[in-house]
């Protein structure tokens, strides 16, 4: 029951409205219920056969069509990626600027007021909408990993589908930088599995999914994710169940991957340099190490301020060697702190680039790597 002139919205379907009282029916299992009420301007249309509604403050009611249309595009993408949307409606509700984010729940999302004073933010809205699947269709109460990693990776997937590969890569690099600034002391770091907020949950979780996609290949990864959602609708799942689904699709054990990335701490710093050339063979030396920030002053960003400890992550790495006007790519497994690789090349290489397409989380993608490049330059 709400004040005169107000409207309320929550999960599920509106059964009836009598005066200022509305009654809603929620047909799907849910870990919690949210609602919002305000003197909204309400608009409803359909996207396909799905009722799509907006509950906006009068000052922003003019943006209803835009948000409905853009959210419809994202719904179509998630229907394809995850599973058909199962709820009776989808609603967009505006809320005051009370805290740092929005909220995604079954069949509706709540977006803060400033969202409607700025250009449409595909990543922010896409994240909240993904919670209709991750947290809405299925949930995980043992860890926040699945419920936040997938919406965070969904942000980048939205940009990949709607804006192209380069926009996707920029999104993932931005996420990597957030993780790497939070991963400068592995001994004090909290694992992604145990994190309940921050980059070591959201962005690192997203990168875990991104690296699994690289390991498995697009087709297997996409099929596994869709199957996992469809097989577990209305259930509380575990990370072990997700690992098992990944292993079945991959065709082998991935315990090494989950132990080092989900349950472990630290991010390696991978470097490569050309150490020899004879005939048509170039020798590339790769090293990996954990990074610890030890700047003496708060604003000390000298490359020498970083301490490293050799690490032994198992990393599938692609190398790109520039040989005059030609490029050679080679995929290798890096498992040791230092490892030499021989690569057949058409001419003497002048440069080697590690992970040119951005599939592996390492410190070369953040501040430490940028400082190292500056010092080398």
């Amino acid at each position: 029951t709400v004040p005169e002139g107000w409207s309320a919205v929550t999960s599920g379907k509106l059964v009836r409205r009598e005066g200022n009282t509305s009654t809603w029916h929620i047909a799907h299992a849910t870990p919690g219920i949210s609602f919002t009420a305000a003197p909204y301007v309400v608009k409803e249309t359909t996207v396909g056969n799905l009722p799509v509604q907006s509950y906006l403050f009068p000052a922003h009611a003019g943006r209803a069509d835009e948000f409905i249309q853009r959210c419809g595009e994202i719904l179509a993408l998630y229907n394809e990626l995850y599973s058909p949307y199962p709820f009776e409606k989808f609603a967009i509700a505006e809320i005051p600027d009370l805290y740092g984010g929005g909220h995604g729940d079954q069949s509706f999302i709540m977006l803060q007021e400033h969202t409607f004073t700025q250009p449409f933010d595909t990543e922010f809205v896409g994240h909240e909408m993904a919670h209709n699947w991750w947290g809405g269709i299925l949930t995980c109460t043992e860890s926040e990993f699945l419920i936040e990693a997938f919406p965070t990776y969904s942000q980048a997937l939205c940009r990949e589908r709607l804006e192209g590969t380069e926009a996707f890569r920029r999104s993932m690099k931005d996420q990597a930088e957030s993780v790497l600034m939070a991963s400068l002391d592995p001994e004090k770091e909290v694992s992604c599995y145990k994190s309940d907020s921050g980059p070591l949950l959201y962005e690192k979780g997203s990168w875990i999914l991104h690296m699994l996609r690289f390991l498995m290949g697009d087709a297997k990864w996409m099929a596994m994710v869709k199957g996992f959602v469809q097989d577990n609708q209305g259930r509380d799942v575990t990370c072990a169940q997700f690992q098992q689904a990944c292993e079945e699709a991959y065709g082998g054990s991935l315990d090494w991957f989950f132990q080092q990335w989900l349950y472990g701490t630290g991010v390696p710093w991978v470097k490569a340099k050309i150490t020899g050339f004879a005939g048509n063979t170039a020798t590339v030396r790769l090293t990996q190490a954990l990074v610890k920030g030890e700047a003496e002053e708060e604003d000390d960003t000298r490359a020498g301020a970083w301490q490293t400890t050799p690490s032994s992550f198992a990393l599938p790495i692609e190398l790109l060697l520039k040989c005059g006007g030609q490029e050679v790519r080679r995929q290798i497994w890096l498992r040791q702190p230092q490892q030499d690789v021989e690569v057949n090349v058409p001419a003497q290489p002048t440069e080697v680039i590690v992970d040119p397409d951005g599939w592996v989380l390492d410190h070369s993608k953040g501040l430490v790597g940028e400082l190292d490049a500056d010092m080398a330059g």
Side-chain angles (χ1 to χ4, degrees), residues 28-352:
H28 301 264
T30 177
I33 298 171
S34 305
F35 74 90
T36 178
Y40 288 124
V41 175
V42 182
K43 181 166 187 176
E44 179 172 332
T45 185
T46 57
V47 175
N49 294 320
L50 178 69
V52 178
Q53 306 156 356
S54 64
Y55 290 74
L56 303 187
F57 297 158
H60 305 133
R63 299 198 67 185
D65 289 339
E66 175 194 2
F67 270 75
I68 288 172
Q69 186 261 327
R70 297 292 298 274
C71 288
E73 295 173 355
I74 296 172
L75 280 170
L77 171 61
Y78 292 166
N79 281 339
E80 177 186 337
L81 288 177
Y82 300 140
S83 72
Y85 185 81
F87 305 120
E88 299 90 340
K89 60 108 177 34
F90 175 75
I92 307 151
E94 185 174 1
I95 59 174
D97 291 330
L98 299 176
Y99 64 107
H103 181 73
D105 214 327
Q106 279 191 1
S107 79
F108 84 119
I109 58 174
M110 293 185 280
L111 305 175
Q112 291 193 92
E113 188 173 2
H114 70 262
T115 308
F116 299 91
T117 66
Q118 301 169 359
F120 185 88
D121 188 336
T122 300
E123 292 200 30
F124 172 58
V125 178
H127 180 108
E128 301 307 338
M129 290 181 66
H131 278 302
N132 277 270
W133 282 261
W134 304 96
I137 292 179
L138 57 77
T139 191
C140 179
T141 54
E142 69 166 15
S143 169
E144 295 290 325
F145 162 60
L146 291 173
I147 304 307
E148 293 299 350
F150 269 102
T152 307
Y153 194 45
S154 297
Q155 300 173 198
L157 293 175
C158 282
R159 295 196 66 188
E160 181 178 34
R161 180 60 61 88
L162 301 175
E163 300 175 37
T165 301
E166 288 307 312
F168 171 70
R169 289 177 179 171
R170 287 195 301 271
S171 180
M172 292 309 299
K173 188 175 189 303
D174 289 344
Q175 291 188 24
E177 290 174 348
S178 296
V179 181
L180 300 173
M181 289 303 294
S183 183
L184 290 172
D185 194 346
E187 295 177 359
K188 297 181 181 179
E189 192 175 310
V190 177
S191 71
C192 180
Y193 176 79
K194 292 182 178 179
S195 295
D196 58 10
S197 65
L200 294 178
L201 170 62
Y202 290 78
E203 286 83 1
K204 188 175 183 181
S206 173
W207 263 91
I208 289 171
L209 301 177
H210 186 55
M211 290 186 286
L212 281 168
R213 179 182 172 187
F214 179 57
L215 271 175
M216 298 165 64
D218 264 23
K220 286 185 178 180
W221 188 82
M222 298 290 184
M224 179 276 298
V225 171
K226 179 178 286 189
F228 188 75
V229 176
Q230 292 177 338
D231 292 345
N232 292 287
Q233 291 195 34
R235 296 178 182 173
D236 184 55
V237 299
T238 66
C239 294
Q241 287 175 302
F242 179 67
Q243 179 178 334
Q244 182 180 359
C246 291
E247 290 174 338
E248 289 174 357
Y250 178 66
S253 174
L254 288 170
D255 196 57
W256 59 271
F257 178 91
F258 282 86
Q259 289 301 323
Q260 73 185 19
W261 289 114
L262 180 59
Y263 302 110
T265 61
V267 175
W269 182 13
V270 180
K271 301 168 73 174
K273 66 177 180 178
I274 300 164
T275 58
F277 174 71
N280 290 324
T281 302
T283 302
V284 178
R285 175 160 295 172
L286 293 111
T287 59
Q288 59 164 305
L290 295 175
V291 178
K292 185 174 182 179
E294 288 291 348
E296 295 180 1
E297 302 292 338
E298 197 170 307
D299 61 350
D300 187 355
T301 55
R302 295 171 295 114
W306 311 103
Q307 294 184 356
T308 59
T309 304
S311 61
S312 298
F313 278 67
L315 303 169
I317 295 287
E318 184 172 52
L319 301 177
L320 186 153
L321 285 81
K322 294 188 176 182
C323 311
Q326 302 182 64
E327 294 183 348
V328 174
R329 289 177 180 251
R330 167 83 180 274
Q331 288 192 350
I332 61 99
W333 276 92
L334 175 61
R335 292 186 172 90
Q336 305 299 324
Q338 179 176 298
Q339 194 170 316
D340 288 341
V341 178
E342 293 185 343
V343 183
N344 290 330
V345 291
Q348 184 167 356
T350 57
E351 184 181 1
V352 57

